[in-house]
């Protein structure tokens, strides 16, 4: 395992890879909210090629909301998300589909699908 991400109340810690590696997923200033309930605020995350990330936390800490935002099933309130160098936030659906064809996702029990 090259890296580990732990999420407790969305406090993020990760093992960093050597400088100069371009992230395949880059999240900056992510904010997700539902009404007055803030789920993420100013969340930054980099995932580099070959890195294995685990997202761990209690129920309601924002794990699924983070994943849904990264893969484009949910539009964040603020911030930017790049996957494979492409901005994913606010992109037309046909363009987003073309980018999504470049990756695969496996869900446990389909938990992230509405």
């Amino acid at each position: 395992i090259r890296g580990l991400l732990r999420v407790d109340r969305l406090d993020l810690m990760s093992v960093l890879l050597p400088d100069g590696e371009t992230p395949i997923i880059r999240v900056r200033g992510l904010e997700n909210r539902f009404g007055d309930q803030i789920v993420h605020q100013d969340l930054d995350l980099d995932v580099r090629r070959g890195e294995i990330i685990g997202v761990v936390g209690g129920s309601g800490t924002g794990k699924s909301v983070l994943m849904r935002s990264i893969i484009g099933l949910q539009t964040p309130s603020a911030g930017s998300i790049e996957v494979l160098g492409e901005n994913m936030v606010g992109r037309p659906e046909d363009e987003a589909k073309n980018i999504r064809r470049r990756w695969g996702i496996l869900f446990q029990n389909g938990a992230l699908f509405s």
Side-chain angles (χ1 to χ4, degrees):
I1 297 177
R2 295 185 64 194
L4 175 67
L5 171 71
R6 182 177 174 185
V7 179
D8 286 325
R9 296 174 312 142
L10 270 284
D11 296 330
L12 300 179
M13 300 178 293
S14 67
V15 175
L16 300 177
L17 294 178
D19 289 337
E21 291 189 34
T22 303
I24 58 170
I25 299 172
R26 172 168 277 175
V27 178
R28 291 291 177 266
L30 185 69
E31 179 178 295
N32 279 303
R33 62 174 59 227
F34 299 98
D36 291 337
Q37 179 68 35
I38 298 173
V39 178
H40 305 123
Q41 187 172 24
D42 296 325
L43 186 145
D44 292 341
L45 171 68
D46 286 342
V47 179
R48 291 166 178 80
R49 186 172 307 280
E51 192 171 25
I52 298 171
I53 300 291
V55 180
V56 180
S59 178
T61 59
K63 302 176 302 291
S64 294
V65 174
L66 174 61
M67 289 299 299
R68 289 174 56 85
S69 295
I70 291 171
I71 64 178
L73 296 177
Q74 177 172 320
T75 302
S77 304
S80 65
I81 299 171
E82 291 180 8
V83 178
L84 302 171
E86 301 283 347
N87 176 38
M88 297 303 292
V89 178
R91 184 175 282 272
E93 184 58 29
D94 59 331
E95 291 178 18
K97 281 183 184 179
N98 287 333
I99 296 167
R100 283 196 214 81
R101 288 185 178 129
R102 297 174 59 195
W103 76 67
I105 302 167
L106 175 65
F107 299 107
Q108 180 178 351
N109 299 325
L112 298 181
F113 289 110
S114 299

